Amino acid sequence: MNSNNLTLVLGAQWGDEGKGKLVDMLSENFDIAVRATGGANAGHTVKVMIKGEEKKFIFHLIPSGILYEDTTCVIGNGVVLHIPTLFQEIESLQLQGIEAVSRIKISGRATILFDFHKLSDAKQENSKGERKVGTTKRGIGPCYADKISRRGLRVCDLADWDLFKKRYKELLSWHERCFEYVHEGAEEELLLLEKMRKPLLAMMEDTAYYLNTKLSEGKNVLLEGANASILDIDHGTYPYVTSSNPSIGGAFTGTGMHPAYLGENIGVIKAYMSRVGEGPFPTELKDDLGGKIREAGGEYGSTTGRPRRCGWFDLPLTKYAIMINGFTSLNLTKLDVLGCIDEIKIAEKYFLDGNEINTLPSRVEDMARLEVKWRTFKGWLEDISECKNWENLPDAAKNYVLYLEEKLSCPIKYIGVGPRRDQMIQRD
Ligand code: GDP
Ligand code: IMO
Ligand code: MG
């Protein structure tokens, strides 16, 4: 053991930092790519050139590593699995000439997310009024609630169809009573699941055993984080968070991999901040500048299409994420997007009631009233999207990166300058 052949890629902010792109880029050198947490609330965009044509893939459940034909993809026990979404992804890959079924392994312990979880999610959100979380309405919260309350159904339960149907109906009627609705599509959902049962069971595996065996044989495993650290149910801006642990803990509980295999642990950070959904955002730009960043960065949700809220880079928040995850290096993404701004700001420090604080306040109400000390940088006002190495970057861009690196006390090893695989500067 202790062979350092496990690498983690985790989001360090509020999601959509560009994890999919890094995972896709790194997967070439990995035997196995694995998802540990979340469900189809994740949207990971990968842009690649295939036969001279730019192709865009958005993955919600399958790890982005699937684009390399020698990579096996694992959906771990911590994932909440909406089975029709999985098959849609498989089908759309097949349409692009990518065979996926033979390379996917799914944990029998993963919890199944049903259509009615989405209905319950919507009901719950609507009943919260102004206090709604702004979820993706993919049923994530209600499905994890079922898992934690020990009434959920898991992939392995599909083995006995009659028992499964019975338990589906019991769970559905619990939801219908609790959230006061009738799921008109229940019979249809069951019919679809019955059709998908066999091909799904063929992909089922004890993935904890599989992953640890492969790690012990020296195979390289890459974990693709979904969602992000400041959306973590424990460490994020609760209650404006998701319902799993997208930070480092979830990587292990969500797969069963032995932590001693951990080698590189890469945090993905965006050169500015974005957030979809509700919740405090100390550096949010509510003016035209926020809109300018949104347009330049294409900041619209990969899953829901919602416009993402944008703001300046937040040092205290990102430092917090680095602290809880223990990142060994960082991927700074979307530096190119700031090329359209003449004066760039960073939140350097937080103050609460006039006192500097070095952590994130646990009360969301305090988070919302933080005062920020800013630092201003001269912009580079240049297109850097074709820069291939560090030396070619304009001085102002280098200064920005070096400042972040110093303050975050973590090496920035990768710098994203565009959405494509090849638009990534690597530093030693
Ligand atoms: P993820 O959820 O963390 O995988 O990120 P998303 O895919 O939801 O959002 C990131 C978006 O930024 C996607 O549209 C990517 O194609 C794009 N992207 C990733 N890295 C870069 C970069 O360095 N520059 C630019 N301009 N776009 C990037
Ligand atoms: P990726 O993997 C951005 C946000 C939602 C909402 C909150 C709770 O693409 O980075 P949920 O549906 O999980 O109950 O919603 O969490 N959220 C994300 N925001 N990127 C994501 O994933 C997200 N996953 C969840 O917008 O605010
Ligand atoms: Mg995303």
Side-chain angles (χ1 to χ4, degrees):
M1 215 179 277
N2 217 354
S3 46
N4 299 342
N5 47 342
L6 169 64
T7 296
L8 308 184
V9 170
L10 300 172
Q13 295 159 335
W14 280 304
D16 305 323
E17 299 91 348
K19 299 174 286 293
K21 177 190 158 186
L22 180 68
V23 168
D24 165 66
M25 194 196 97
L26 296 177
S27 290
E28 193 174 10
N29 301 316
F30 283 80
D31 304 292
I32 298 165
V34 52
R35 270 277 304 266
T37 55
N41 52 349
H44 298 174
T45 316
V46 175
K47 286 189 179 161
V48 284
M49 299 298 284
I50 298 180
K51 293 181 187 149
E53 211 186 310
E54 188 175 284
K55 296 242 171 159
K56 177 172 160 177
F57 297 85
I58 300 179
F59 296 106
H60 301 288
L61 285 167
I62 301 178
S64 307
I66 199 79
L67 295 180
Y68 292 95
E69 59 183 30
D70 293 330
T71 305
T72 301
C73 288
V74 172
I75 295 179
N77 55 278
V79 171
V80 283
L81 185 71
H82 185 247
I83 297 169
T85 303
L86 173 76
F87 280 98
Q88 271 161 23
E89 273 183 28
I90 290 175
E91 209 177 297
S92 80
L93 281 166
Q94 254 154 7
L95 288 173
Q96 311 258 22
I98 298 161
E99 206 290 307
V101 174
S102 61
R103 292 189 290 124
I104 296 178
K105 296 191 186 294
I106 300 169
S107 170
R109 294 183 173 88
T111 305
I112 301 177
L113 189 149
F114 296 105
D115 289 344
F116 60 76
H117 285 120
K118 299 186 199 182
L119 299 176
S120 301
D121 194 353
K123 274 276 183 178
Q124 208 164 275
E125 279 285 90
N126 293 340
S127 72
K128 283 186 177 158
E130 279 196 349
R131 292 188 57 242
K132 72 173 196 289
V133 175
T135 72
T136 58
K137 300 216 174 126
R138 293 300 186 269
I140 305 298
C143 186
Y144 275 115
D146 281 350
K147 171 179 174 170
I148 300 302
S149 297
R150 295 159 293 185
R151 54 171 181 261
L153 277 165
R154 307 195 294 177
V155 169
C156 56
D157 294 322
L158 282 163
D160 181 338
W161 182 244
D162 288 334
L163 185 60
F164 182 88
K165 261 198 311 197
K166 183 170 167 283
R167 292 201 41 215
Y168 170 94
K169 285 176 187 164
E170 283 165 7
L171 186 59
L172 171 60
S173 82
W174 187 90
H175 276 258
E176 289 179 329
R177 278 197 315 277
C178 207
F179 297 104
E180 298 175 327
Y181 65 82
V182 175
H183 176 25
E184 308 280 0
E187 281 307 317
E188 214 178 298
E189 182 172 24
L190 272 174
L191 275 175
L192 191 63
L193 288 174
E194 191 175 11
K195 249 202 263 167
M196 293 173 169
R197 190 172 84 93
K198 283 224 169 95
L200 191 82
L201 287 174
M203 291 185 260
M204 188 175 85
E205 182 109 16
D206 186 327
T207 50
Y209 182 76
Y210 172 79
L211 289 164
N212 284 297
T213 305
K214 293 295 168 188
L215 283 163
S216 71
E217 289 167 2
K219 299 284 186 217
N220 292 321
V221 177
L222 180 63
L223 181 129
E224 175 170 355
N227 325 126
S229 303
I230 309 299
L231 289 172
D232 187 291
I233 187 85
D234 285 281
H235 302 292
T237 44
Y238 189 90
Y240 300 99
V241 289
T242 190
S243 298
S244 67
N245 290 113
S247 52
I248 189 161
F252 296 105
T253 55
T255 58
M257 289 188 287
H258 196 303
Y261 289 109
L262 182 59
E264 257 206 285
N265 179 12
I266 311 171
V268 186
I269 60 174
K270 210 181 268 196
Y272 49 91
M273 306 295 292
S274 74
R275 172 165 211 171
V276 220
E278 308 301 319
F281 186 166
T283 64
E284 183 168 11
L285 285 162
K286 292 185 178 162
D287 54 11
D288 292 349
L289 207 46
K292 193 171 175 182
I293 294 177
R294 181 178 312 116
E295 293 314 311
E299 295 295 352
Y300 291 88
S302 317
T303 299
T304 58
R306 289 178 293 177
R308 294 174 183 153
R309 299 155 65 192
C310 294
W312 298 121
F313 190 91
D314 189 330
L315 261 177
L317 181 141
T318 311
K319 273 163 98 161
Y320 197 82
I322 293 172
M323 175 186 79
I324 60 170
N325 287 292
F327 294 130
T328 55
S329 66
L330 298 169
N331 172 200
L332 179 73
T333 65
K334 303 190 103 162
L335 188 64
D336 53 304
V337 174
L338 293 182
C340 63
I341 292 169
D342 53 358
E343 208 172 62
I344 300 166
K345 287 189 181 174
I346 282 179
E348 202 176 30
K349 286 178 179 170
Y350 284 163
F351 291 85
L352 192 62
D353 298 323
N355 301 312
E356 185 183 338
I357 56 164
N358 294 315
T359 65
L360 287 191
S362 50
R363 288 182 77 237
V364 84
E365 293 79 7
D366 288 339
M367 183 93 187
R369 64 188 186 90
L370 283 172
E371 285 162 54
V372 166
K373 183 183 167 219
W374 301 101
R375 189 180 184 92
T376 305
F377 292 80
K378 213 165 133 288
W380 43 95
L381 294 174
E382 240 182 84
D383 178 5
I384 58 167
S385 61
E386 294 308 325
C387 279
K388 298 283 178 238
N389 52 51
W390 172 252
E391 286 70 35
N392 292 351
L393 281 176
D395 286 344
K398 281 190 205 152
N399 286 343
Y400 186 73
V401 176
L402 289 173
Y403 178 81
L404 288 181
E405 188 172 61
E406 187 203 325
K407 291 291 170 187
L408 296 170
S409 306
C410 191
I412 296 178
K413 191 168 167 187
Y414 305 94
I415 302 168
V417 292
R420 293 193 320 267
R421 247 180 217 170
D422 60 314
Q423 290 175 305
M424 188 81 99
I425 294 173
Q426 291 195 42
R427 291 169 74 217
D428 290 329

